[in-house]
Amino acid sequence: MSLSMHIAALFPDPRVQRAKKQTGIARKTAIVPDPPHEVRQHYAVFERWHSGFPIFSITQMVFGDSQSAEAQEYDPNAPALDELTPQQTAKRAVLYIPGGDFSDYMPTAAWRFVTDLVDAGLRVDIPLSGRLPDYTAREAVPLVRRAYQDLLKEHGAENITIIADGSGAALALGSLLAFLPDACPSNVILADPWYDLVASGWQQEHTGKVASYLKEVSHRWAGGQLNNAKVNPGVMGRQEWRQWAGSAFHIFVGGHSQPMRDARRLEKDLKNAGVAVNVTRVEGTVYMYHLHRTSEGRRDRRQMIRIAQGQES
């Protein structure tokens, strides 16, 4: 483990902090955030809405015909160049589903990762639904489906990569079942995945406030649908996992025993169903290590980007 990761490990785990600062989930409603100023300043940000929630498309800022020979000569009478649409800007796209235990939104580090993906020539779409306590999977699942449906129309499944952090894995895997097996994304990248809302390593490992917090989050988010695979992918059987056979799975897991346990079970489920899966394990690192400014985090972010670009399978 690198020195930078040793330093990162000195900071409190975000899940433990969330559990300590909340009395259950009864807290002030989280407001859907706008992309940071730095993102809007340096990148093209397109916004569309579905059922009251935004889907952001982040791309490089490119203007129509900006590479033509005529564009090299200034003409005050020439018509203004239009900003290209997300579809025109990038061939390959990423659907990014952030984590946050269904109660928090994207941290600054996640936005930095998004801009790294965009700098690599990718379009990144981010559906941001409401969070607990006021919203549940009832609102989130249709939003993710709409975002994926839009990307299918504009890029095709073969050019789409899903990236999901933590609890985003459950939302991604459950929501996209509606499109399988005919429209499997090319790649699915899961980082420290929490995909079983009942039998996760975190719930089994922890006691006290953290265990109570995770149990309450799971039940509130599922809204009585814990046995529904579209809400809780942890209940999927072999036949349902086989529908993912058209995708290549890449699991990145760090931290302690809890996410490692979940990753081992997910790897087993996928292999038993004949789905291609590659697992990168980084022992002894922190939760969500790939978002940290450490040598391990930078290395694996670069690998995720190469996968999304189609340079690795």
Side-chain angles (χ1 to χ4, degrees):
M1 188 165 63
S2 68
L3 175 61
S4 56
M5 190 61 78
H6 276 290
I7 295 173
L10 298 176
F11 293 88
D13 188 290
R15 273 185 161 175
V16 175
Q17 290 297 100
R18 280 194 284 267
K20 288 181 177 179
K21 75 180 181 180
Q22 299 182 49
T23 304
I25 309 298
R27 62 176 179 83
K28 184 178 179 180
T29 302
I31 299 174
V32 177
D34 196 56
H37 172 72
E38 293 79 7
V39 175
R40 286 197 176 274
Q41 185 177 25
H42 299 290
Y43 300 90
V45 179
F46 300 85
E47 185 176 334
R48 60 193 186 278
W49 291 76
H50 179 69
S51 299
F53 296 103
I55 301 171
F56 295 105
S57 294
I58 318 293
T59 70
Q60 294 180 356
M61 197 174 293
V62 181
F63 294 88
D65 207 28
S66 61
Q67 302 303 315
S68 68
E70 292 81 1
Q72 306 304 317
E73 298 180 6
Y74 174 68
D75 181 358
N77 298 315
L81 295 175
D82 293 326
E83 190 171 17
L84 297 185
T85 66
Q87 181 182 6
Q88 294 170 319
T89 302
K91 177 182 178 181
R92 303 184 68 90
V94 169
L95 180 61
Y96 183 64
I97 314 296
D101 297 339
F102 310 119
S103 58
D104 277 346
Y105 285 104
M106 292 173 61
T108 301
W111 284 108
R112 284 199 300 264
F113 181 35
V114 167
T115 59
D116 288 344
L117 291 162
V118 174
D119 287 338
L122 298 160
R123 167 187 177 173
V124 182
D125 276 26
I126 311 165
L128 289 181
S129 65
R131 296 295 197 259
L132 292 171
D134 292 336
Y135 302 100
T136 66
R138 183 188 299 273
E139 293 80 23
V141 169
L143 187 70
V144 172
R145 286 178 179 170
R146 177 57 180 269
Y148 186 64
Q149 187 176 42
D150 291 345
L151 290 179
L152 280 177
K153 291 179 181 177
E154 298 183 2
H155 294 273
E158 69 279 6
N159 292 314
I160 300 175
T161 293
I162 308 299
I163 299 181
D165 300 333
S167 58
L171 181 54
L173 294 175
S175 300
L176 299 190
L177 276 175
F179 298 93
L180 306 183
D182 297 329
C184 288
S186 177
N187 297 288
V188 179
I189 299 174
L190 306 176
D192 284 343
W194 179 21
Y195 78 105
D196 190 333
L197 302 187
V198 176
S200 77
W202 273 86
Q203 290 161 305
Q204 295 173 12
E205 187 84 7
H206 281 285
T207 58
K209 286 186 177 181
V210 176
S212 298
Y213 161 71
L214 292 173
K215 182 178 180 180
E216 183 178 4
V217 162
S218 299
H219 284 264
R220 292 281 293 274
W221 182 257
Q225 298 292 314
L226 284 172
N227 292 322
N228 184 348
K230 295 177 181 178
V231 175
N232 178 21
V235 302
M236 286 199 296
R238 181 179 297 182
Q239 288 300 114
E240 289 165 306
W241 283 116
R242 280 178 177 168
Q243 295 185 62
W244 285 99
S247 299
F249 274 72
H250 306 267
I251 302 172
F252 293 81
V253 59
H256 304 293
S257 59
Q258 304 94 337
M260 290 286 187
R261 182 183 302 171
D262 287 354
R264 283 194 294 269
R265 182 187 161 197
L266 178 55
E267 180 184 15
K268 181 179 178 181
D269 287 341
L270 291 167
K271 286 184 174 179
N272 286 343
V275 180
V277 57
N278 179 70
V279 182
T280 299
R281 295 181 174 87
V282 185
E283 301 285 348
T285 57
V286 299
Y287 182 62
M288 291 293 152
Y289 79 97
H290 68 294
L291 296 178
H292 286 263
R293 289 174 166 171
T294 63
S295 58
E296 294 92 340
R298 287 190 292 269
R299 177 198 65 205
D300 289 348
R301 285 197 302 274
R302 287 194 295 267
Q303 184 178 353
M304 293 179 191
I305 290 170
R306 290 193 298 271
I307 292 169
Q309 289 175 316
Q311 297 178 8
E312 289 192 19
S313 59

